[in-house]
Amino acid sequence: MTWTVVPEQPGSPVASALWRAYYTEVSDRWYLLHEGRRTDPEELEREVAAESGADLAPPRGRLLVARYAGEPAGCAGVRLPPGGPAELTRVFVHERLRGRGGAALLVRAAEEVARAAGARAIVLDTRGDLVEARALYSRLGYRETAPHNTAPYAEHWFAKRLG
């Protein structure tokens, strides 16, 4: 089986399904850890609807979709603010396909998009409970840094120079 990574329009059916899967997983993990429950369905619907992904549409960003054996398997977004570092976001691979190299492939593809847009560095934030994500970023050469934003759930910040 092989992986492919291609740009996708935010809001497409594929992008929307991946965003819902991503948000459901990270939200449920947070609520289970902190409140012993899953995300309230009404809250999930509000949050999914509130994040259209418009910030990942060209020219300000790109949404990348990974497919495994032709089926949508994961995504990664990269924001491209003028004059600043690129920002990696929404890195996600369906649980059943993890451990097959898809996440690293998505991150590297996002880095290439950032380089092609002229970014010299890429940053990201993540939560403490997302230990798999933190391990992935470290393995791919990201270094933990001081906070670069005040995102409400950000607990760890990473950066990487794009040579």
Side-chain angles (χ1 to χ4, degrees):
M1 300 290 174
T2 59
W3 288 98
T4 58
V5 176
V6 297
E8 182 80 27
Q9 277 299 113
S12 74
V14 167
S16 295
L18 288 166
W19 168 235
R20 177 176 293 283
Y22 166 85
Y23 190 82
T24 300
E25 181 174 331
V26 297
S27 182
D28 280 353
R29 282 179 70 161
W30 191 89
Y31 278 113
L32 286 167
L33 178 65
H34 295 283
E35 297 183 11
R37 65 175 179 88
R38 294 193 178 279
T39 308
D40 176 85
E42 289 179 16
E43 178 186 10
L44 178 69
E45 292 309 313
R46 276 193 315 273
E47 293 300 319
V48 166
E51 292 289 332
S52 69
D55 57 334
L56 300 177
R60 298 179 314 184
R62 297 290 184 282
L63 177 65
L64 302 170
V65 168
R67 286 179 169 75
Y68 186 74
E71 295 297 318
C75 59
V78 60
R79 294 183 186 109
L80 303 165
E87 182 179 5
L88 183 64
T89 187
R90 292 191 190 189
V91 177
F92 171 75
V93 172
H94 281 294
E95 186 174 14
R96 70 186 182 282
L97 296 170
R98 292 181 188 155
R100 300 178 191 198
L105 187 67
L106 278 161
V107 171
R108 289 186 184 112
E111 291 170 358
E112 286 304 314
V113 166
R115 272 189 204 93
R120 295 183 180 189
I122 190 166
V123 297
L124 65 93
D125 65 70
T126 192
R127 295 190 330 229
D129 64 307
L130 300 177
V131 293
E132 307 92 339
R134 291 179 20 232
L136 169 71
Y137 302 134
S138 292
R139 196 169 57 249
L140 295 176
Y142 287 76
R143 298 292 170 244
E144 198 151 357
T145 66
H148 61 265
N149 65 24
T150 57
Y153 296 102
E155 297 171 320
H156 296 269
W157 295 263
F158 289 82
K160 182 178 181 177
R161 300 289 306 157
L162 298 173

